[in-house]
């Protein structure tokens, strides 16, 4: 059973990916950092900018 | 972490365990009930489990002791004497006190434990919402995500600030461009198009013009010192020539003094002087060999040479003056040469292609003769200033265009930044909205899950009062504040502390802790309920115990300590399901012996033991069998609402109870005893009528009083075999009616019979036949 933080971080990362706000490649790292409380402003910005400017192949 | 079954726990010198205490766990039973009066050592067992599992002894907390470690060891023992070991089917884990705290070895075998104490339950209910939150926090702890959410929120704030700054910069750039445009006289079509065109202008030609003007002026300036330098050199030459003339005159005068052959004579005299130095005072003249004037010859030669020295000096001066004249002439030639070269350079500058058209130039070429330059300069007048001004105009124009170009570039850069932020910021806000929503939803769901579970457990104890009626929620207006709500007399959401009895509050608290404990890895958790049945109302105890039994099955092992005597009695009489339950009892604790464990033996087991003794004691058999038979008849007569003589003391005799079961009821009483289940799960039963046993017991019931209750001479005439037969029939009746594992047939859900748990016994009829 995952800790509440991990469970919630997984939900959030998955939803952000579905909403095309972050790339699927970043789900794992964002989940890990978020659950450990290590997701900083720079990480958020980089992930969202990647989501905006790096359109994945369909 | 392991979830293997527990085999035993050994506690040494921890609090009440002044002597090593061993609690063996029954195989296949994951529920252990430890009964003991106050101060028998129940809490020490809980402490031991907490010590090895969590490295602490929570029962001493909140007693005003401060740091409790010094009080963990038994009186007279040292912390290093304390040891707790748990043996499981897979391994042994031991815990001792080290310098840095409790050390469990091997650490991977350290059991996961949850301790729920009565005081903790009361505190959590009565505590303020913030303290209550701390109890539930570990189960909804999402601090990692909250930190990430805070970082994202700050990022949104920062980017919003960046956007505001970018907007201000773009506006500033626009104002600057408009200002340039206005200064340029509002040229068409609009400020930005104009600025774009202007900024694309090639500034190199302007720069080339400015440079050529600068070169022109610079070379002109280089010429200006030459007239003066020429004049100065000329003056110096004149002076040198004058000096030379004067020296020549002096020389002429001096030459007259010396002979015409002065120079030849001078050499003869010098030679003579050298000779006389080597041969002083000669007798004759070395030249003419005359002795006439030989005396004083050396002195005369010196005088003659002295007159020649003046001549020499004048000759030297003349030579120097001639050299000076020569040098000055050369210097003048050099100045002329330099001036002419610069003049040539200047002429070249006047013909530069990059010179702006219409540049004013000297009227005539610079004269060849330096002496005429002064006049030429005067003719040129203010030309250098004109060239400087023309150069400055071009410099300013160049600077203007560069500034405009920079303004346009900055405008484009800032506009691009603004466009990027206009895309990024909404995405960040969307992200934050999702994070906030998910976080709220997650917490709400977790709390709902806990609320539902608490309600379900509470419903098991207080039917009709739990489901959908208990709520646990975070106060949105306060951080880390947990509110509880309950339904009371139709009012929803009221604080239970305000309306519930102590008993109900205790039950609610226990339900909350049980629900929380089951949230995380229950199958790996040893759950300890330390004396949690404090003030539970009697009518609810059975249901509470039933609920605890049911919930205990979720955990790796559940240990319940209690001083609640009815629980012990109910177990003694087999009124509770004892199948998965191990019941142990602690006797009085002493400092010398520490905690002492005894195994409680159910009365039916004691009766079997008494009957099995050789020879059996009829008095003891009848006495024990009579009590058990009374318990059976009490159950049946209450169950079927049989008539018994009404007495204030409600002390019915065995005869009263036997007679209360009418003939019709006796005939109808049948028990289906489960004898097996086939491969498809279909159960098969053997039906046993109770009537023969009840008839037999009625027949020999007097032995109970004769043998078992009083000293009676009549017993001398009775057969001891009747006494033993009485006991055996009671055992048979008990074994038919009661499953010692699943308990008594109290469940009437079928609507046609009464059953034990798992329907190992089915008691017919459902109601008493009229």
């Amino acid at each position: 059973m995952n800790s509440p933080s991990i469970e919630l971080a997984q939900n959030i990362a998955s939803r952000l990916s579905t909403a095309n706000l972050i790339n699927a490649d970043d789900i794992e790292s964002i989940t890990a950092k978020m659950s450990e409380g290590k997701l900083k402003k720079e990480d958020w910005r980089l992930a969202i900018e990647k989501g905006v400017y790096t359109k994945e192949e369909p | 972490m392991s979830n293997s079954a527990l085999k035993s726990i050994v506690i040494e010198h921890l609090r009440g365990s002044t002597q090593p205490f061993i609690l063996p766990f029954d195989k296949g039973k994951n529920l252990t009930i430890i009964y003991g009066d106050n101060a028998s050592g129940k809490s020490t067992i809980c402490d031991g489990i907490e010590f090895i599992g969590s490295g602490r002894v929570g029962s001493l907390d909140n007693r005003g002791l401060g740091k409790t470690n010094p009080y963990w060891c038994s009186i007279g023992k040292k912390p290093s004497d304390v040891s707790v070991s748990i043996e499981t089917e897979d391994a042994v884990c031991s815990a001792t006190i080290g310098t840095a705290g409790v050390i469990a070895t091997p650490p991977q075998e350290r059991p996961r434990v949850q301790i729920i104490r009565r005081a903790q339950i009361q505190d959590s209910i009565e505590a303020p919402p913030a303290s209550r939150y701390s109890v539930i926090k570990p189960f909804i702890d999402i601090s990692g995500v909250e930190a990430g959410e805070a970082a994202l929120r700050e990022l949104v704030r920062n980017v919003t600030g960046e956007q505001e700054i970018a907007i201000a910069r773009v506006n500033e750039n626009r104002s600057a461009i408009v200002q340039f445009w206005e200064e340029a006289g509002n040229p068409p079509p609009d400020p930005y198009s104009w600025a774009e065109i202007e900024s694309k202008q090639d500034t190199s030609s302007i720069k080339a013009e400015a440079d050529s003007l600068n070169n022109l002026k610079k070379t002109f300036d280089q010429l200006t010192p030459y007239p003066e330098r020429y004049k100065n050199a000329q003056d110096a030459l004149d002076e040198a020539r004058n000096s030379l003339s004067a020296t020549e005159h002096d020389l002429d005068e001096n030459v007259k003094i010396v002979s015409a052959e002065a120079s030849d004579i001078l050499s003869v005299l010098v030679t003579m002087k050298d000779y006389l130095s080597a041969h002083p005072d000669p007798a004759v003249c070395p030249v003419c060999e005359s002795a006439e004037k030989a005396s004083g010859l050396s002195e005369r030669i010196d005088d003659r040479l002295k007159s020649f020295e003046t001549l020499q000096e004048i000759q030297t001066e003349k030579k120097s003056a001639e050299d000076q004249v020569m040098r000055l002439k050369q210097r003048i030639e050099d100045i002329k040469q330099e001036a002419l070269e610069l003049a040539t350079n200047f002429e070249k500058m006047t013909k530069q292609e990059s010179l702006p058209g219409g540049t004013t130039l000297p009227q005539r070429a610079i004269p060849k003769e330096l002496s005429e330059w002064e006049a030429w300069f005067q003719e040129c007048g203010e030309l250098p200033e004109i060239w400087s001004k023309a150069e400055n105009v071009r410099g300013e124009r160049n600077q203007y265009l560069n500034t405009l170009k920079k303004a346009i570039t900055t405008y484009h850069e800032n506009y691009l930044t603004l466009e990027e932020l206009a895309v990024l910021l909404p995405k960040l806000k969307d992200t934050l909205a999702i994070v906030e929503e998910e976080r709220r939803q997650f917490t709400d769901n977790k709390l709902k899950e806990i609320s539902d579970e608490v309600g379900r457990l509470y419903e098991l104890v207080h039917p009709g009062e739990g489901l959908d009626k208990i709520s646990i929620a975070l106060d949105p207006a306060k951080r880390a504040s947990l509110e509880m709500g309950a339904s009371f007399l139709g009012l929803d959401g009221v604080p239970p502390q305000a309306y519930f009895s102590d008993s109900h509050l205790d039950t609610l608290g226990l339900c909350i802790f049980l629900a929380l404990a089951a949230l995380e890895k229950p199958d790996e958790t040893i759950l300890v309920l330390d004396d949690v049945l404090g003030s539970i109302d009697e009518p609810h105890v059975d249901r509470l115990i039933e609920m605890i039994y049911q919930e205990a099955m979720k955990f790796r092992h559940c240990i319940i300590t209690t001083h609640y005597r009815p629980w012990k009695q109910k177990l003694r009489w087999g009124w509770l399901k004892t199948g998965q339950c191990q019941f142990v009892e602690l006797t009085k604790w002493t400092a010398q012996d520490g905690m002492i464990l005894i195994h409680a033996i159910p009365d039916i087991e004691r009766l079997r033991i008494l009957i099995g003794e050789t020879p059996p004691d009829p008095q003891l058999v009848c006495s024990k069998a009579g009590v058990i038979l009374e318990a059976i008849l009490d159950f049946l007569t209450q169950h079927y609402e049989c008539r018994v003589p009404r007495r204030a003391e409600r002390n019915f005799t065995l005869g009263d109870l036997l007679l209360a079961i009418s003939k019709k009821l006796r005939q109808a009483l049948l028990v289906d005893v489960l004898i097996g289940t086939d491969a498809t799960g279909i159960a098969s039963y053997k039906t046993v009528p109770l009537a023969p046993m009840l008839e037999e017991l009625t027949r020999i019931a007097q032995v109970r009083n004769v043998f078992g209750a009083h000293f009676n001479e009549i017993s001398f005439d009775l057969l001891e075999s009747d006494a033993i037969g009485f006991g055996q029939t009671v055992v048979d009746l008990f074994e038919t009616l009661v499953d010692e594992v699943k308990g008594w047939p109290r469940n009437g859900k079928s609507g046609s019979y009464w059953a034990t748990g798992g329907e190992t016994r089915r008691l017919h009829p459902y109601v008493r036949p009229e």
Side-chain angles (χ1 to χ4, degrees), chain B residues 434-451:
Chain B
I434 286 175
V435 173
E436 286 174 340
E437 186 188 323
E438 284 290 329
R439 190 246 310 148
R440 270 194 289 268
Q441 203 174 330
F442 180 86
T443 310
D444 289 349
N445 287 348
K446 274 282 172 207
L447 289 173
K448 173 83 168 55
E449 196 183 316
I450 296 168
S451 290

Side-chain angles (χ1 to χ4, degrees), chain B residues 217-389:
Chain B
K217 182 175 176 298
K218 207 188 287 175
T219 49
F220 183 88
D221 288 344
Q222 285 172 342
L223 297 174
T224 50
Y226 280 89
E228 191 179 347
R229 284 174 66 186
Y230 175 74
K231 185 174 175 299
N232 290 343
Q234 199 63 52
D235 290 348
L237 179 60
D238 291 345
E239 196 179 328
R241 278 176 174 156
N242 291 338
S243 176
L244 179 60
S245 298
T247 309
E248 283 171 344
H249 178 263
D250 289 349
L251 184 63
D252 290 343
E253 289 298 314
N254 203 278
V255 165
K256 285 174 187 171
I257 298 170
V258 296
S259 63
E261 301 89 11
S263 59
D264 296 337
I265 289 169
L266 182 61
S267 57
V268 170
L269 289 173
V270 169
T271 306
M272 277 298 291
K273 183 175 172 62
D274 292 343
Y275 175 83
L276 289 173
S277 295
H279 305 93
D281 301 322
V284 293
C285 171
V287 177
C288 65
E289 293 182 336
S290 168
E292 188 181 352
K293 292 182 178 179
S295 173
L297 185 61
S298 183
E299 287 79 12
R300 286 198 302 279
I301 284 170
D302 285 345
D303 289 343
R304 296 276 315 261
L305 278 172
K306 205 169 181 182
S307 66
F308 276 101
E309 273 177 13
T310 306
L311 181 63
Q312 273 182 312
E313 281 170 7
I314 295 167
Q315 279 177 329
T316 305
E317 278 177 24
K318 183 192 169 206
K319 180 74 172 67
S320 174
E322 283 169 349
D323 290 348
Q324 177 67 0
V325 167
M326 285 300 294
R327 276 199 299 276
L328 287 169
K329 279 182 180 171
Q330 185 58 45
R331 187 174 163 195
I332 288 168
E333 283 306 310
D334 290 346
I335 288 171
K336 278 182 177 173
Q337 186 62 32
E338 278 176 34
L340 282 175
E341 281 174 13
L342 287 171
T344 308
N345 195 28
F346 175 74
E347 288 301 328
K348 211 187 279 177
M349 289 297 123
T350 60
K351 293 178 175 57
Q352 292 174 97
E353 282 185 9
S354 52
L355 264 182
T359 303
T360 311
L361 295 170
Q363 300 268 336
R364 60 184 176 105
I366 191 162
K368 300 283 182 204
E369 286 299 325
L370 263 172
S371 55
E372 296 172 25
W373 281 26
E374 195 67 50
W376 183 81
F377 276 121
Q378 281 181 359
E379 286 169 23
C380 288
E382 294 178 346
L383 278 181
E385 282 178 33
I386 293 168
W387 297 334
S388 277
K389 278 181 187 169

Side-chain angles (χ1 to χ4, degrees), chain A residues 1 4-5 7-9 11-12 15-16 19 21 34-37 39-41 44-45 48-49 52-53, chain B residues 139 141-142 144-145 148 151-152 154-155 158-159 162 420 423-424 427-428 431 434 437-438 442 519-520:
Chain A
M1 184 179 163
S5 266
E7 203 181 325
L8 175 56
N11 293 352
I12 290 170
R15 211 174 134 197
L16 293 179
L21 289 166
M34 203 189 314
S35 62
E36 290 168 13
L39 197 60
K40 308 281 178 218
K41 287 185 292 183
W44 275 117
R45 185 164 193 151
I48 302 298
E49 282 179 346
V52 171
Y53 298 111
Chain B
F139 302 95
D141 182 17
I142 48 168
V145 175
L152 176 59
E154 196 183 338
L155 176 62
N158 291 353
V159 173
E162 283 176 32
E420 285 172 358
V423 174
L424 179 65
K427 298 278 183 193
L428 288 173
T431 304
I434 286 175
E437 186 188 323
E438 284 290 329
F442 180 86
L519 274 179
E520 203 174 335

Side-chain angles (χ1 to χ4, degrees), chain B residues 81-203:
Chain B
D81 296 329
V82 176
S83 164
V84 177
S85 301
I86 283 188
E87 186 183 358
T88 69
E89 284 181 345
D90 296 341
V92 176
C93 179
S94 299
T96 52
I97 299 175
T99 49
V102 177
I103 303 161
T105 312
Q108 69 273 15
E109 293 299 333
R110 185 172 215 164
R112 179 185 169 81
V113 301
Q114 278 277 346
I115 313 284
I116 302 176
R117 294 188 170 85
R118 179 169 154 65
Q120 188 186 1
I121 292 172
Q122 286 174 324
D123 288 350
S124 68
I125 296 291
E126 291 162 8
S131 304
R132 206 178 297 136
Y133 174 80
S134 65
V135 173
I136 206 168
K137 185 175 179 290
F139 302 95
I140 55 170
D141 182 17
I142 48 168
S143 51
V145 175
E146 284 173 332
E149 184 183 326
L152 176 59
R153 192 170 290 113
E154 196 183 338
L155 176 62
V156 169
R157 268 199 301 273
N158 291 353
V159 173
T160 304
E162 283 176 32
Q163 192 183 43
E164 285 164 5
I165 291 168
I167 289 169
R169 280 183 180 156
V170 165
N171 287 337
E172 199 178 306
N173 298 146
R174 281 178 173 158
S175 299
I177 290 165
V178 168
Q179 197 177 340
F180 278 121
W181 177 71
E182 285 171 352
E183 282 168 5
N186 301 2
D190 59 77
Y192 308 107
S193 310
W194 166 81
E196 290 282 358
I197 295 163
E198 280 286 286
S199 67
K200 280 174 188 154
Q201 272 195 21
D202 183 13
T203 53

Side-chain angles (χ1 to χ4, degrees), chain B residues 329-604:
Chain B
K329 279 182 180 171
Q330 185 58 45
R331 187 174 163 195
I332 288 168
E333 283 306 310
D334 290 346
I335 288 171
K336 278 182 177 173
Q337 186 62 32
E338 278 176 34
L340 282 175
E341 281 174 13
L342 287 171
T344 308
N345 195 28
F346 175 74
E347 288 301 328
K348 211 187 279 177
M349 289 297 123
T350 60
K351 293 178 175 57
Q352 292 174 97
E353 282 185 9
S354 52
L355 264 182
T359 303
T360 311
L361 295 170
Q363 300 268 336
R364 60 184 176 105
I366 191 162
K368 300 283 182 204
E369 286 299 325
L370 263 172
S371 55
E372 296 172 25
W373 281 26
E374 195 67 50
W376 183 81
F377 276 121
Q378 281 181 359
E379 286 169 23
C380 288
E382 294 178 346
L383 278 181
E385 282 178 33
I386 293 168
W387 297 334
S388 277
K389 278 181 187 169
E391 184 197 347
N392 288 343
V393 166
R394 277 152 186 82
E396 283 166 10
R397 170 72 180 163
N398 199 30
Q399 195 177 350
Y400 168 83
L401 286 176
N402 281 336
T403 310
L404 182 63
K405 196 178 277 184
K406 204 170 175 183
I408 280 285
T409 307
T410 314
Y411 170 70
H412 283 310
E413 284 171 359
N414 288 336
Y415 193 80
L416 189 66
T417 304
L418 190 59
E419 278 186 331
E420 285 172 358
L421 292 175
V423 174
L424 179 65
L425 188 57
K427 298 278 183 193
L428 288 173
K429 285 181 176 173
D430 289 350
T431 304
L432 181 60
I434 286 175
V435 173
E436 286 174 340
E437 186 188 323
E438 284 290 329
R439 190 246 310 148
R440 270 194 289 268
Q441 203 174 330
F442 180 86
T443 310
D444 289 349
N445 287 348
K446 274 282 172 207
L447 289 173
K448 173 83 168 55
E449 196 183 316
I450 296 168
S451 290
D452 290 350
E453 182 62 6
V454 171
R456 184 185 71 77
L457 298 176
Y458 194 78
E459 178 77 14
L460 293 173
V461 183
H462 298 285
E465 297 176 35
L467 289 179
D468 303 325
K469 293 184 174 64
I470 305 289
S471 63
I472 293 172
L474 291 177
D475 185 341
K478 297 171 194 161
R479 180 166 170 73
S481 180
L482 191 73
E483 296 292 346
M484 289 191 308
S487 288
F488 190 79
L489 294 177
L491 277 176
D492 289 333
V494 297
Q497 307 94 305
Y499 297 96
F500 279 18
S501 68
D502 286 349
S503 159
H504 279 62
L505 286 176
D506 278 358
T507 307
L508 178 59
L510 178 60
C511 291
I512 290 172
F513 277 96
L514 281 175
L516 293 176
L519 274 179
E520 203 174 335
K521 301 177 183 170
D523 58 332
E524 293 180 10
T525 304
I526 300 173
L527 175 68
V528 179
L529 304 177
D530 187 11
D531 214 7
V532 295
L533 291 184
S535 67
I536 312 295
D537 287 342
E538 183 63 29
H540 303 123
V541 167
D542 286 355
R543 286 198 291 265
L544 181 68
I545 291 171
E546 189 65 28
M547 183 270 279
I548 292 173
Y549 272 32
Q550 191 177 308
E551 291 309 300
M553 297 304 115
K554 293 179 181 172
F555 293 88
R556 179 186 184 186
H557 202 103
C558 179
I559 295 168
I560 302 171
T561 69
T562 184
H563 68 276
Y564 182 67
R565 187 171 290 276
W567 198 338
K568 176 187 171 186
Q569 297 303 332
K570 285 166 197 283
L571 273 159
R572 182 181 161 198
W573 288 106
W575 282 22
L576 300 172
K577 290 184 251 178
T578 56
Q580 296 95 353
C581 169
Q582 174 193 8
F583 190 88
V584 295
E585 189 172 346
L586 293 172
T587 58
K588 187 174 173 54
W589 174 89
T590 62
Q592 190 181 351
D593 298 327
M595 297 142 61
I596 298 171
L597 190 70
I598 56 169
H599 286 272
I601 301 173
D603 277 30
I604 190 66

